[in-house]
Amino acid sequence: MNDKNIPEGFIALDRDSPFSDLTGPYYEKLDTNGKHEVLGLRLRHEHLNKARMAHGGLFMTIADNALGDAILAQSDEPISFATVSFSSEFLSAGREGDWVEARVAINRRGRRLIFAQCALSIEGKNIFNASAVFTILEKKQTLD
């Protein structure tokens, strides 16, 4: 796939992650403040399972990436965090060529835990939901 097949407003995203490089390429749309708003991915042959539908693990990976992007975008300072729990619901299949969008809602952020949800959609149809809890590990040091 080339960038011509990417919806307007999305830009290529360098995740700087060997695993994400295997599951991408990813694209993002920024809000009016220049912060992450939507994560997108065009389903390719490599994303399919034996039945020629998007692999369920891919949907979980997209959601996990989108959740992390949203947490970082909504944080006032750099943070490190790890997944405590992740639950998912598979509602519909994705097929090669489909454009998947991931949107996140952060329900609550406390001093140690972050509760969030992610919904994946294709052409506006909800295909997958995830709920997750993250623990804040440490505050990252910034270099001047």
Side-chain angles (χ1 to χ4, degrees):
M1 295 280 161
N2 59 40
D3 285 351
K4 293 178 186 176
N5 296 323
I6 304 308
E8 187 175 333
F10 282 86
I11 57 173
L13 180 60
D14 180 5
R15 301 205 61 80
D16 192 26
S17 162
F19 181 73
S20 290
D21 289 346
L22 292 173
T23 60
Y26 291 93
Y27 297 83
E28 76 175 335
K29 182 184 273 189
L30 304 176
D31 65 15
T32 56
N33 296 318
K35 292 193 172 193
H36 172 84
E37 183 177 24
V38 181
L39 184 66
L41 177 119
R42 177 74 64 192
L43 294 178
R44 300 170 13 166
H45 182 76
E46 304 85 63
H47 299 135
L48 307 181
N49 60 21
K50 191 175 184 178
R52 300 299 183 254
M53 294 182 286
H55 194 285
L58 175 70
F59 284 174
M60 295 172 76
T61 299
I62 295 169
D64 187 56
N65 279 307
L67 287 157
D69 291 346
I71 290 168
L72 291 172
Q74 293 186 20
S75 296
D76 294 330
E77 56 192 40
I79 62 168
S80 294
F81 51 92
T83 308
V84 173
S85 70
F86 185 100
S87 62
S88 57
E89 301 164 342
F90 298 88
L91 306 174
S92 188
R95 307 223 182 261
E96 187 172 356
D98 286 344
W99 175 254
V100 179
E101 292 187 358
R103 288 178 171 77
V104 172
I106 297 182
N107 301 325
R108 183 175 184 278
R109 179 176 173 169
R111 291 186 313 181
R112 300 295 305 158
L113 296 176
I114 300 168
F115 298 82
Q117 295 178 302
C118 180
L120 304 187
S121 63
I122 295 174
E123 296 182 9
K125 178 184 175 188
N126 185 223
I127 60 163
F128 175 90
N129 292 325
S131 297
V133 178
F134 300 88
T135 184
I136 299 170
L137 298 174
E138 63 186 53
K139 292 184 180 183
K140 288 186 178 178
Q141 299 297 319
T142 58
L143 301 176
D144 294 321

